[in-house]
Amino acid sequence: MLLNANKQEWKHFLNAAEVFWQKNLPEPADDGVILVEAFHQDLRVTLRNLAVANAIRKIRPARMIVFTGVEESWAETLWQGFDVSLVREFAAAYGASETIDVWEIVKKSDSKPSPDLAESVADNIKATDARLAKIPRMRENPPADRVRYGNALAAYYEQQFQQNVVALVTSHVDYDQWGLAVDVARQAGVPVIHTQQTGCLKAYALFPEHDSHTETFRGELTRQIGEVFDGQVWPRREKLRPVTELIAWRAKVNLGRPSWWRGGTSASVDLNNPAERALLRRHAAARFGFDPDRPIVAVFNHAVSDALGTNRELFPSLSEWFTETANWAANRTDTQWMFLDHPSQKLYDSTGFFDQLAKQHKKSKHLVFRPSATLSKNALWSLTDLGVTVRGSVSNELPAYGIPVIQAGWSEWSSCGLSTVVDSADAYFKTLDESLTAIRDGATLVTEEQVQRARLWLWLYRSGSDVVTPQVPQWEVWPANTLLKSMRATFRHIESDADPLFETVERMWTRREPLLTRTDLSAPLS
């Protein structure tokens, strides 16, 4: 873990946390254990895991074991610094009985997992290799060390899950150190709680009795979140309308944004009516050499090595989807196309994939390739008649403001009826073709119900499933000294009874719900 904080402030925080949890956690009832990962360098990530784990321990007393450590490739590629001793101090203050440096164990091991896990382990190793190498496609034969690490790690997790494991709490579900633990937990029939790195306290859960084992972890969540949305959120649409309109406005001006969205004035939207949009559209279209009276499609590239194969996708890789879409668009001169690169692509691609593809199509004047950060949202929204993505957040944002989106894969909201989600590559291109025809004919591709559903999703994501608790300050409470002071005040001066952390985690746990919610969404409508 990386700690850019005053050492004395850190010490005060640890002392306050230790006293608080000693007084608030019951003694373990049996040999049960909750496994918690602490592989991320950000203090806020581990804080969320430990808080949720202790909330579970309040209702199901158990020991807590924390997995940590950093493998060399992760340290070289992503982390700025990682101090295992800080994780040990943090975990001990939250009542962990043991903190294990996993990489110190597996780096010397040649163990292999059971045959039942062989396929998922191999896929995970390839996806991890692509991420660490920052390449847009998975290699069929990753480096030998990567393969040995992955196999040894999976075997180690299998050994650990032979205990009486109550739950796995993890910040990520992808790549070897996180994803393999999730795969083993699902095989062992252990609940997986997946905390989120945004907002106050957000978490998803996959319980074994609801796991069909027909999809990846993310695929299972997509289906279950859709069921909650249709069964508990959509029926509340009229009651929630005032607040959804407020949140739609806040999202438009970039307030309450997810932590990974870009900020700044260029990320807010000031357009208030069709006349303003039309005026800006002419200006923005001239900038790109577009005709404002002809259809414009925006295709949003992804971080090309990010979590490959972790949800349902129509193409072998995100880069292949982007490439095939560009090749198809090159022959559709009846439409103008913007191909937009991910704003954080430099962290995910070392090959220049986007620039190379742009060069291949430089003779196609109806295709424009640009980094997305070079466009303000005002310009982007004024130009876009149709958005295209695999799993990007534009597929929930654009429909909320009346702009249709086609998805060539699943995201967590894909079963909520916001966008057009296609189920095969053939259907994808057919849907694109039909959509272009409809736009030219003046048809409306997004329905009023889709707009409502998209705005309800914004409410669910930013409010309904974001638990406000002093135990987990909002993500933007930063830098570290500020966060630690806030937490110290919580531990020393706020009584723990009726804290939303404990109430909401208990509701999710006892009802086996797929997401943490601020209020009881199953309560009868008044």
Side-chain angles (χ1 to χ4, degrees):
M1 191 172 70
L2 178 67
L3 182 67
N4 291 321
N6 180 278
K7 291 183 179 180
Q8 197 63 30
E9 193 62 53
W10 174 245
K11 182 179 179 180
H12 290 326
F13 160 75
L14 293 175
N15 290 338
E18 182 176 14
V19 171
F20 178 88
W21 290 114
Q22 282 179 351
K23 297 297 183 181
N24 278 276
L25 287 176
E27 290 295 319
D30 51 27
D31 62 350
V33 60
I34 295 177
L35 301 179
V36 180
E37 67 82 10
F39 291 121
H40 203 283
Q41 67 173 356
D42 196 312
L43 168 71
R44 295 169 292 184
V45 175
T46 302
L47 168 64
R48 283 158 171 75
N49 284 352
L50 294 175
V52 169
N54 277 353
I56 297 173
R57 294 170 74 194
K58 287 267 287 186
I59 54 178
R60 173 49 173 99
R63 293 183 301 119
M64 178 167 68
I65 294 178
V66 174
F67 294 148
T68 191
V70 59
E71 187 259 325
E72 184 178 353
S73 297
W74 283 94
E76 291 176 352
T77 304
L78 294 172
W79 296 162
Q80 298 169 320
F82 199 100
D83 189 337
V84 170
S85 68
L86 293 174
V87 179
R88 294 188 189 280
E89 293 173 358
F90 197 1
Y94 272 68
S97 58
E98 188 177 4
T99 298
I100 301 172
D101 187 338
V102 172
W103 289 111
E104 280 298 311
I105 296 172
V106 302
K107 73 180 183 181
K108 306 169 186 176
S109 172
D110 291 315
S111 298
K112 294 184 178 180
S114 62
D116 291 345
L117 275 175
E119 183 177 353
S120 64
V121 171
D123 290 343
N124 201 297
I125 289 171
K126 292 175 185 177
T128 304
D129 170 56
R131 175 67 187 95
L132 292 174
K134 299 181 183 179
I135 53 178
R137 292 177 175 85
M138 290 187 282
R139 295 186 282 206
E140 190 59 35
N141 297 301
D145 277 352
R146 182 85 264 141
V147 174
R148 183 176 62 81
Y149 270 136
N151 283 325
L153 186 56
Y156 177 77
Y157 283 145
E158 282 192 297
Q159 178 186 353
Q160 291 298 308
F161 275 86
Q162 291 176 7
Q163 305 175 80
N164 178 18
V165 180
V166 174
L168 169 68
V169 181
T170 178
S171 62
H172 292 68
V173 297
D174 321 305
Y175 313 122
D176 49 17
Q177 50 195 357
W178 300 288
L180 292 175
V182 171
D183 289 345
V184 174
R186 292 179 69 189
Q187 178 182 257
V190 171
V192 178
I193 314 300
H194 174 25
T195 61
Q196 305 290 294
Q197 293 83 59
T198 189
C200 296
L201 178 60
K202 292 174 59 65
Y204 295 127
L206 180 58
F207 293 99
E209 56 266 47
H210 301 314
D211 189 348
S212 71
H213 292 279
T214 59
E215 301 285 351
T216 64
F217 178 92
R218 292 187 185 277
E220 293 286 344
L221 278 182
T222 297
R223 175 178 56 80
Q224 293 183 32
I225 290 170
E227 292 171 356
V228 170
F229 189 90
D230 280 338
Q232 299 180 11
V233 179
W234 180 244
R236 287 174 160 74
R237 59 190 178 277
E238 293 305 323
K239 185 175 183 179
L240 289 171
R241 188 180 290 273
V243 71
T244 58
E245 293 303 310
L246 172 60
I247 290 174
W249 175 83
R250 285 174 56 80
K252 182 178 171 183
V253 299
N254 217 30
L255 294 174
R257 64 187 175 89
S259 61
W260 50 86
W261 282 21
R262 63 185 171 112
T265 55
S266 67
S268 64
V269 177
D270 307 313
L271 302 177
N272 295 307
N273 54 58
E276 290 182 1
R277 181 177 186 267
L279 182 64
L280 182 56
R281 179 182 175 93
R282 291 194 173 277
H283 169 76
R287 175 181 165 191
F288 294 109
F290 286 159
D291 180 348
D293 296 323
R294 294 174 57 212
I296 301 173
V297 178
V299 184
F300 295 86
N301 196 19
H302 293 269
V304 291
S305 64
D306 184 30
L308 298 179
T310 57
N311 206 337
R312 189 179 293 189
E313 295 168 2
L314 307 186
F315 294 82
S317 67
L318 299 171
S319 59
E320 189 162 336
W321 158 75
F322 201 66
T323 299
E324 291 300 316
T325 302
N327 292 342
W328 189 86
N331 296 315
R332 294 303 302 260
T333 56
D334 56 337
T335 302
Q336 303 163 110
W337 301 78
M338 292 189 298
F339 286 83
L340 304 173
D341 203 11
H342 192 279
S344 299
Q345 195 67 272
K346 65 180 181 180
L347 300 176
Y348 293 87
D349 181 35
S350 62
T351 68
F353 162 75
F354 183 84
D355 292 337
Q356 290 174 21
L357 187 63
K359 288 180 181 177
Q360 292 174 23
H361 292 282
K362 64 182 180 180
K363 294 182 179 180
S364 299
K365 301 305 180 184
H366 64 298
L367 272 59
V368 169
F369 290 77
R370 292 287 187 278
S372 63
T374 62
L375 271 76
S376 69
K377 270 195 178 178
N378 282 319
L380 179 59
W381 286 22
S382 71
L383 290 172
T384 303
D385 296 310
L386 174 66
V388 183
T389 183
V390 174
R391 62 190 189 209
S393 55
V394 293
S395 60
N396 69 60
E397 185 185 17
L398 292 179
Y401 306 97
I403 301 173
V405 172
I406 296 173
Q407 281 192 255
W410 284 10
S411 49
E412 62 205 71
W413 51 85
S414 291
S415 293
C416 298
L418 328 179
S419 59
T420 299
V421 183
V422 289
D423 58 8
S424 71
D426 288 341
Y428 168 67
F429 290 116
K430 181 181 179 182
T431 303
L432 267 178
D433 182 56
E434 293 172 346
S435 299
L436 299 185
T437 301
I439 293 171
R440 287 199 311 274
D441 292 344
T444 300
L445 290 182
V446 63
T447 67
E448 181 57 36
E449 180 175 319
Q450 283 179 306
V451 173
Q452 268 193 287
R453 285 176 171 270
R455 294 190 174 195
L456 276 171
W457 172 260
L458 291 179
W459 170 82
L460 180 62
Y461 190 82
R462 294 169 178 243
S463 176
S465 64
D466 189 22
V467 174
V468 181
T469 166
Q471 296 288 337
V472 182
Q474 217 280 347
W475 187 265
E476 298 298 329
V477 177
W478 198 245
N481 280 334
T482 303
L483 174 66
L484 295 176
K485 288 178 181 178
S486 175
M487 292 300 301
R488 178 154 54 96
T490 294
F491 291 139
R492 290 184 175 178
H493 302 294
I494 299 178
E495 302 303 334
S496 62
D497 57 301
D499 190 302
L501 167 67
F502 305 124
E503 177 185 347
T504 58
V505 170
E506 181 176 10
R507 182 170 61 240
M508 179 182 71
W509 182 264
T510 56
R511 296 183 183 180
R512 317 307 257 184
E513 295 176 337
L515 71 166
L516 205 60
T517 56
R518 187 179 291 187
T519 58
D520 184 358
L521 296 180
S522 67
L525 283 167
S526 57

